[in-house]
Amino acid sequence: MKERLVLIGNGMAGIRTLEELLKQDSERYEITVFGKEPHPNYNRIQLSSVLQGDTELHDIMLNDYDWYKDNKIELITGDAITHVDTERQTLYSAAGVERPYDRLIFATGSNPFMLPLPGADKEGVIAFRNIQDCETMINTSKSYKKAVVIGGGLLGLEAARGLLNLGMEVDVIHLADRLMENQLDGEASGMLKEELQAQGMNIHLKKQTEALIGADRVEGLQFKDGESLDADLVVMAVGIRPNIELAKETGIDVGKAILVNDYMETSHENIYAVGECAEHREVVYGLVTPLFEQAKVLASRLCKEDGASYEGSIVSTSLKVSGVDVFSAGEFMDTDETKSIRVHDEFEDTFKKVVVRDNYVVGSVLFGDTSDSPRILSMMRSSQDVSGMNKATILPSESAEDNAGSAVELMPDEENICGCNGVCKGEIVSAIKEQGLTTVEEVKKTTNASRSCGGCKPQVTELLSLATGEDASQAEEPICGCTDHSHEDVVAAIREMELTYIPEVMNVLGWETEDGCTKCRPALNYYLGMVNPLDYEDDENSRFINERMHANIQNDGTFSVVPRMYGGVTDSDQLRTIANVADKYDVPLLKVTGGQRIDLLGIEKENLPSVWDDLGMRSGNAYGKGMRTVKTCVGENFCRFGTQDSIGLGIKMEQKFEGMKTPHKVKMAVSACPRNCAESGIKDVGIVGVEGAWEIFVAGNAGVDLKKSERLCKVETDEEVLEITAAFLQHYRENARYLERTSHYIDRVGLDTVKKVVLEDEKEKAALNERMDIALSIEQDPWTDIVDSEDKQKDLFEKKQVSITT
Ligand SMILES: Cc1cc2nc3c(=O)[nH]c(=O)nc-3n(C[C@H](O)[C@H](O)[C@H](O)COP(=O)(O)OP(=O)(O)OC[C@H]3O[C@@H](n4cnc5c(N)ncnc54)[C@H](O)[C@@H]3O)c2cc1C
Ligand SMILES: NC(=O)c1ccc[n+]([C@@H]2O[C@H](COP(=O)([O-])OP(=O)(O)OC[C@H]3O[C@@H](n4cnc5c(N)ncnc54)[C@H](O)[C@@H]3O)[C@@H](O)[C@H]2O)c1
Ligand code: SF4
Ligand code: FES
């Protein structure tokens, strides 16, 4: 019989230990994992990127449910272990689950430290540690304005940048006299403060909070110096505390955390600890690089008695805030025993400092240009004696590098590229050459490089380009972890092999998982529908919840309903109907949207079909990957400046493209003069009236990644606008990757490529229009469809759903 191994804590260190263990001996243990959070293992580090709008929540899963299934691991999520009986070698959970163990791993991580201030229990006072915190911040930003972050360390500043991106006003309250005082000296910290202030953060140093004020919800902060500040949201980021209560109650020796030896063994036989909950040689780590090193050692200990030992780690950090490059490692402050080399370039706004003690590099701080960080870290890790070196060469100037080749090219093979996962240049290059890797995703899968914070992705991409001779930044990436096939491969296969349904695509292309995942299923559903519009039967279960319910789910589980109003025009009958529906269903909030529509918020799920029926209006498709709205200005009908009928054209466009499905949402606008009141300059398709003609702009984007649209052409008639818009959108539908906005698509392929087809090739323009007409010919109003079908209503509103909720 196999030994039973139980892991408490389904986080980054614990699961990395299992991954390493499975690599060494996949058959040795029968494994059970308990995780308090209701998710499979995700990349906690990337919560900052999710908050900053660079990544979606569904992209940060490291091991989805299939991974556990495929490796025969029993996973129990949303349930905490509350008691360990070491006599009976049995664990007990909060939900009453009981499991025996032969070996037990504590990987319980940390809890965020919450300052015990009066008022700290008020609504709106949170930490930043998990998916729920991240969702709370995103949702709060939709209704509130003022955020205050307490703590100007790594976490606080990453949270503050995220909240700024979400459109909130942000104040950072910091206790020390400089930001990131655990990582930066005064000079670098001062430069950081200036940069963050320029980005819009209000930073308060040497400020101590005395109380949080407000009724039920937080309304402000009271400081020790008598000052106060308004706040709708307070995020505490003042450090973490190892989660060791359970270990303590079990009788395991603890100090600051669970005490472990060089093999990650605790004071109890067959009980181990790894990650932030472990204390090794008086050090508790709070970064993934050392935790992954511990994981490797523990895995080898679990496989053999004479495995490697853990000797401690040299840690380095980088702040993940876009536009700010900061790196810090080891001893960064000057002392009587150290000397430092420093270069402060006030023209380029960069600062570099390397600290040397007894002829060894022991620390560094880099600001503005962190390209030297892998080399410096490598010198620290290998304890390189620099006594014989010309000290100036420790910090080479950029121009010297430019002449001699890129920094990555010049690195020796043993130098680390990926700090988080400890992967050196030689390892990556051999993997690329020996296994014929061509994409960053493949390198990530094979070597782990770039799997955590993603900070090393540019270097990995450069190595790929150097090794393959191709520009790897343009390489096609696999759709997701279920397959090695790229979006382009899959679309080509669907066309060439005439594939017609999702399981067939997965089967023919050798998918690695049985049912795919939340990334590939919606993409395949879109591609199949795009290639075979007349024959493909849409797979509702492969859609995200909003698209399946034809309404937007809100933070309290209710839905928002936006009826279609072509061109943003309504009349008194429609308004009366909407008002009657709002009264009948006690709609808590009626709101005019940015797209000039009326949003009925707070509708209960079971009332959706009757609300749609009572409204008698078509769906505004405000929830889907497809055409959303055409916003219009009043134009020549009423405006003094208007020379064109913007409303008329807007309505024609909206009627033509209503229901169109696209890789991502598409927003349009028509303004009747260059004053641009309908904001045509930030839309996927924006039309602007000029004397006797229309200018067509494309690929604009509002939101987090603000981008001004690019001018496609100028035409004279409404018909030409419709024809060129259809050709442009069909080109986008056929060639963009699923979830790629028009702005990213044009960035990738270039506007000239699109112009050649859409403007210069009459035959292709006509063919694109024809294919667009076919696609549009099958679109039906989804609300009417559901209202008219009892079966569909039962299916959607009575049966329990298999959901893709993120
Ligand atoms: C927003 C953010 C950004 C970060 N950025 C970086 C970065 O850029 N670089 C870096 O190196 N580090 C970063 N970190 C730190 C890094 O994420 C942590 O060091 C790492 O996740 C710790 O791993 P762990 O497995 O020890 O703990 P965790 O990932 O916290 O996992 C522990 C898990 O155990 C569960 N658990 C606890 N008690 C029980 C119980 N009794 N029963 C069942 N389950 C239990 C917890 O719910 C948790 O899911 C960041 C952290 C945050 C919050
Ligand atoms: N990029 C990264 O590597 C990264 C990003 C986020 C989080 N993390 C890790 O997550 C963990 C938590 O991060 P953190 O920034 O909360 O911890 P931290 O301990 O690094 O920083 C906490 C900061 O809060 C300040 N502080 C403490 N009490 C305060 C008070 N009363 N008022 C105002 N400020 C106060 C401290 O001066 C300190 O600078 C750490 O282990 C960190 O390394 C790392
Ligand atoms: S865009 Fe020009 S025409 Fe339209 S409302 Fe504004 S000023 Fe008037
Ligand atoms: S350095 Fe963080 S993933 Fe490579």
Side-chain angles (χ1 to χ4, degrees), residues 677-691:
C677 295
E679 297 164 337
S680 303
I682 47 165
K683 299 292 178 201
D684 298 275
V685 177
I687 314 295
V688 179
V690 289
E691 243 358 277

Side-chain angles (χ1 to χ4, degrees), residues 720-740:
E720 285 171 290
V721 170
L722 292 171
E723 191 188 19
I724 287 174
T725 303
F728 168 74
L729 289 173
Q730 184 64 14
H731 195 275
Y732 166 62
R733 293 182 73 236
E734 292 178 0
N735 296 289
R737 297 168 184 162
Y738 187 66
L739 294 187
E740 189 171 41

Side-chain angles (χ1 to χ4, degrees), residues 56-189:
E56 302 272 339
L57 267 181
H58 55 78
D59 287 335
I60 69 167
M61 289 301 148
L62 286 170
N63 306 77
D64 60 13
Y65 288 109
D66 284 333
W67 178 83
Y68 297 84
K69 210 163 82 191
D70 294 346
N71 289 292
K72 300 187 206 75
I73 295 172
E74 181 192 24
L75 171 67
I76 299 167
T77 54
D79 192 11
I81 293 297
T82 46
H83 180 62
V84 180
D85 184 336
T86 48
E87 291 283 301
R88 294 182 57 213
Q89 301 213 146
T90 303
L91 300 172
Y92 302 87
S93 83
V97 179
E98 201 179 307
R99 286 287 177 281
Y101 67 85
D102 297 308
R103 303 206 195 198
L104 176 63
I105 305 173
F106 276 82
T108 47
S110 302
N111 293 320
F113 179 61
M114 299 301 280
L115 293 169
L117 298 170
D121 55 349
K122 289 189 194 307
E123 197 190 331
V125 182
I126 60 166
F128 182 23
R129 179 75 193 176
N130 54 34
I131 287 186
Q132 200 189 341
D133 298 328
C134 201
E135 284 176 334
T136 305
M137 283 189 255
I138 293 170
N139 289 330
T140 306
S141 72
K142 293 178 186 160
S143 337
Y144 293 96
K145 198 76 205 124
K146 278 194 68 66
V148 173
V149 177
I150 308 185
L154 288 157
L155 185 66
L157 296 179
E158 289 179 13
R161 180 62 254 181
L163 291 162
L164 272 183
N165 286 7
L166 289 167
M168 298 192 84
E169 281 169 36
V170 183
D171 287 79
V172 175
I173 308 301
H174 191 55
L175 195 58
D177 61 356
R178 63 175 200 276
L179 292 174
M180 281 176 57
E181 79 281 8
N182 297 325
Q183 290 88 13
L184 300 182
D185 65 355
E187 212 158 347
S189 184

Side-chain angles (χ1 to χ4, degrees), residues 287-306:
L287 294 164
V288 291
T289 309
L291 310 188
F292 289 166
E293 289 170 6
Q294 294 177 353
K296 221 172 185 162
V297 168
L298 174 53
S300 100
R301 189 60 165 180
L302 289 166
C303 289
K304 47 184 186 276
E305 278 309 304
D306 57 351

Side-chain angles (χ1 to χ4, degrees), residues 7-16 33-39 41-49 51 76 78-83 92-93 106-111 128-130 133 137 154-155 158-159 240 243 246 274-278 285-292 294 316-320 420 452-454:
L7 170 67
I8 313 178
N10 187 26
M12 296 186 76
I15 296 301
R16 178 57 72 93
V33 177
F34 281 89
K36 200 156 66 176
E37 293 182 69
H39 313 280
N41 177 38
Y42 62 90
N43 193 338
R44 197 174 299 286
I45 293 181
Q46 288 198 325
L47 287 177
S48 301
S49 314
L51 194 69
I76 299 167
D79 192 11
I81 293 297
T82 46
H83 180 62
Y92 302 87
S93 83
F106 276 82
T108 47
S110 302
N111 293 320
F128 182 23
R129 179 75 193 176
N130 54 34
D133 298 328
M137 283 189 255
L154 288 157
L155 185 66
E158 289 179 13
I240 50 177
N243 190 351
L246 182 67
V274 68
E276 282 184 350
C277 66
Y285 297 95
L287 294 164
V288 291
T289 309
L291 310 188
F292 289 166
Q294 294 177 353
S316 68
T317 48
S318 302
L319 181 69
K320 302 190 299 298
C420 290
S452 306
C453 73

Side-chain angles (χ1 to χ4, degrees), residues 661-728:
K661 296 193 178 74
T662 39
H664 211 307
K665 61 187 166 193
V666 166
K667 297 181 176 183
M668 308 205 233
V670 186
S671 305
C673 87
R675 286 173 185 78
N676 227 329
C677 295
E679 297 164 337
S680 303
I682 47 165
K683 299 292 178 201
D684 298 275
V685 177
I687 314 295
V688 179
V690 289
E691 243 358 277
W694 294 111
E695 287 196 314
I696 304 180
F697 292 82
V698 293
N701 193 356
V704 173
D705 200 4
L706 190 66
K707 187 174 169 264
K708 189 168 169 298
S709 55
E710 295 183 53
R711 186 177 178 280
L712 185 65
C713 62
K714 182 168 158 185
V715 295
E716 288 184 3
T717 64
D718 288 7
E719 286 62 41
E720 285 171 290
V721 170
L722 292 171
E723 191 188 19
I724 287 174
T725 303
F728 168 74

